[in-house]
Amino acid sequence: MKLPLLSVYDLVHYLKQTLDHDPNLQTLLIQGEISNFTNHRSGHWYFTLKDKKAKISCVMFSSYASRCSILLKEGMKVIVRAEVSMYEPQGSLQLYVTHVQVDGLGDLYLKLEAVKKQMAKEGLFALERKKALPLYPMDIAVISAKSGAAVQDVLTTIARRWPLANVHVYPSLVQGINAADDLIRNLKKADEMEHDVILLVRGGGAIEDLWCFNEERVARCISSMKSVVVTGVGHETDTTLVDYVSDARAPTPTAAAELITPQREEILMQLMHLKSRMKQIMNHRLQEEKAVLESLKQHRYMSDPLSYIRESQMKLAMQAREMGMIEQRLLKHRQQYRNMQIDWHINRNRLQKNKRKKQRFDTACTCATRISKETTDNII
């Protein structure tokens, strides 16, 4: 039997027709968890409906979305009314949703919310714990997938904005069951190397692909690190647990690279401004010193240097004359002092002689009185 030769369109169109005409697939109620929700500017809603074993793309056109009473969020458990069909341009199977009702939050998100509350209670999200970003990082670590757009965008951005920095890439798993352990290992390794800043980045993807960044042990590892850690995980609407404990969070990997690096052109402008300011200060100082020099040039010593020597000689001669006069006065006073010493010795000798004479006179008087008394006694 000869097989028919089909084009891709023929095959996809046939599958679409088969699905569209299958009465069992026309109106279905499907239970699942919302993931990768996008509210497009056209008003259409795009999201993935998943459970633990499978997932399927969904679209809800603006005519139905505008009548929906709830706003879909990541992790929300819902029950949707939809029909199954094929989107021919991409050959993808998807659900065309006409109604959504809430069925509860996903188990993963409930667990995540509990972890967030506990870590917030411990103060791990507090602003005062966050370290300041370095102004001019010269040693940057990047933890990301070994290859991919995210790490290339980061390297390109750093090279463009701040090529002076040394960049060290730590290849790591960024999704899958082993990703959390690998991230922790690389974070600790980078922290030991004492880089100026560590970038933890990953490109966008389904929320389940980013779930390793919601692991509690990864977040606690970051909170205990000494190095500055900046995260840029997923797209702008993606916020993971590591974003809360990091020192700064950027919406994308490229934005994270821009956040930690100064713009080279801005630094050059600042340097030019400082150079100009320094030049002005030096010119001002130079003018002041020139004015002082001109003042010194006008001094009479500059026109007749020997006059300073002559004046000094005159001062020295006058001082020598004064010294001579002082010396003469000193010699005169010294002679006067010697004369006073001689007079003192002479007077002292005279005083001693007078004392001896007085003693002899007193002795003689005493003897005469005694003799006179004895004579009188004898006469009587």
Side-chain angles (χ1 to χ4, degrees):
M1 177 179 172
K2 187 178 180 180
L3 297 175
L5 182 61
L6 302 175
S7 66
V8 175
Y9 172 76
D10 291 335
L11 175 60
V12 174
H13 183 68
Y14 174 80
L15 292 174
K16 177 176 172 57
Q17 293 296 318
T18 302
L19 293 171
D20 290 347
H21 291 86
D22 188 342
N24 294 323
L25 301 176
Q26 295 304 306
T27 303
L28 302 173
L29 290 176
I30 304 125
Q31 183 184 45
E33 182 179 308
I34 297 292
S35 175
N36 298 326
F37 173 71
T38 300
N39 187 354
H40 197 268
R41 62 176 179 273
S42 63
H44 305 326
W45 289 357
Y46 300 93
F47 57 93
T48 300
L49 196 65
K50 67 175 185 176
D51 58 20
K52 293 181 179 179
K53 295 183 178 181
K55 60 182 178 180
I56 188 170
S57 297
C58 303
V59 58
M60 189 173 188
F61 292 120
S62 59
S63 58
Y64 295 106
S66 62
R67 297 197 298 267
C68 186
S69 61
I70 61 172
L71 179 62
L72 301 187
K73 296 181 181 180
E74 294 287 333
M76 182 180 288
K77 280 190 174 181
V78 295
I79 298 174
V80 302
R81 182 185 297 117
E83 60 182 35
V84 183
S85 186
M86 180 75 69
Y87 181 56
E88 289 182 304
Q90 292 186 0
S92 59
L93 185 71
Q94 61 183 18
L95 296 179
Y96 290 83
V97 180
T98 59
H99 179 76
V100 181
Q101 66 184 56
V102 177
D103 190 38
L105 292 173
D107 294 337
L108 290 177
Y109 277 92
L110 289 174
K111 182 179 178 181
L112 177 61
E113 287 301 317
V115 171
K116 285 170 60 177
K117 288 181 180 179
Q118 177 60 34
M119 295 184 73
K121 185 178 179 181
E122 296 175 18
L124 299 181
F125 302 163
L127 292 177
E128 54 268 21
R129 296 189 75 259
K130 298 185 182 299
K131 298 177 283 292
L133 302 184
L135 292 177
Y136 308 108
M138 303 304 296
D139 187 6
I140 301 173
V142 180
I143 300 177
S144 185
K146 185 176 183 180
S147 60
V151 68
Q152 292 303 320
D153 289 345
V154 167
L155 296 177
T156 301
T157 301
I158 294 175
R160 171 174 53 82
R161 290 174 57 88
W162 193 238
L164 300 176
N166 294 320
V167 182
H168 303 269
V169 179
Y170 293 81
S172 177
L173 297 175
V174 292
Q175 70 181 68
I177 58 176
N178 297 320
D181 293 331
D182 202 34
L183 286 172
I184 292 173
R185 181 165 54 252
N186 282 292
L187 285 166
K188 290 181 177 179
K189 186 188 301 183
D191 195 35
E192 291 174 357
M193 298 304 295
E194 298 183 349
H195 298 285
D196 293 337
V197 63
I198 299 173
L199 288 183
L200 178 61
V201 296
R202 185 203 190 282
I207 189 63
E208 57 268 22
D209 296 333
L210 304 177
W211 201 259
C212 59
F213 297 95
N214 282 324
E215 291 288 347
E216 180 179 2
R217 61 183 187 275
V218 177
R220 289 191 179 276
C221 175
I222 292 175
S223 68
S224 66
M225 291 172 61
K226 297 177 293 183
S227 304
V228 176
V229 180
V230 176
T231 53
V233 178
H235 295 305
E236 190 167 354
T237 56
D238 297 319
T239 303
T240 59
L241 191 59
V242 297
D243 294 322
Y244 292 98
V245 295
S246 65
D247 298 301
R249 181 251 178 189
T252 63
T254 301
E258 292 177 346
L259 181 62
I260 66 161
T261 53
Q263 181 64 270
R264 179 176 56 177
E265 286 73 15
E266 293 178 0
I267 299 301
L268 290 175
M269 289 181 63
Q270 292 177 10
L271 291 175
M272 292 298 293
H273 175 73
L274 291 174
K275 180 180 178 181
S276 176
R277 177 61 180 158
M278 187 180 297
K279 188 176 180 180
Q280 291 177 359
I281 294 174
M282 292 303 296
N283 287 335
H284 180 70
R285 178 67 181 276
L286 184 61
Q287 293 301 321
E288 289 181 343
E289 296 299 332
K290 281 184 177 180
V292 173
L293 182 59
E294 289 297 326
S295 176
L296 291 174
K297 284 182 179 179
Q298 301 302 320
H299 200 280
R300 61 190 183 89
Y301 288 157
M302 298 300 294
S303 59
D304 186 12
L306 293 178
S307 64
Y308 177 76
I309 297 175
R310 288 194 296 269
E311 289 182 1
S312 299
Q313 287 177 337
M314 291 177 62
K315 289 180 180 179
L316 182 62
M318 293 179 65
Q319 290 173 352
R321 182 183 175 184
E322 290 178 359
M323 289 295 294
M325 295 174 65
I326 292 172
E327 184 178 6
Q328 289 178 2
R329 288 197 296 270
L330 181 62
L331 290 174
K332 182 180 178 179
H333 290 313
R334 184 178 295 173
Q335 185 62 41
Q336 290 176 349
Y337 176 72
R338 288 177 180 175
N339 293 335
M340 290 175 64
Q341 283 184 324
I342 293 171
D343 291 343
W344 182 82
H345 284 295
I346 292 172
N347 292 329
R348 189 183 64 172
N349 291 335
R350 287 177 180 175
L351 181 62
Q352 289 177 351
K353 286 180 179 180
N354 291 331
K355 283 183 177 181
R356 285 195 295 273
K357 287 179 180 181
K358 184 178 183 298
Q359 289 175 355
R360 287 195 297 270
F361 177 78
D362 290 340
T363 302
C365 290
T366 302
C367 291
T369 301
R370 188 176 63 249
I371 294 171
S372 176
K373 183 178 182 183
E374 289 176 356
T375 302
T376 304
D377 292 339
N378 292 329
I379 295 174
I380 294 175

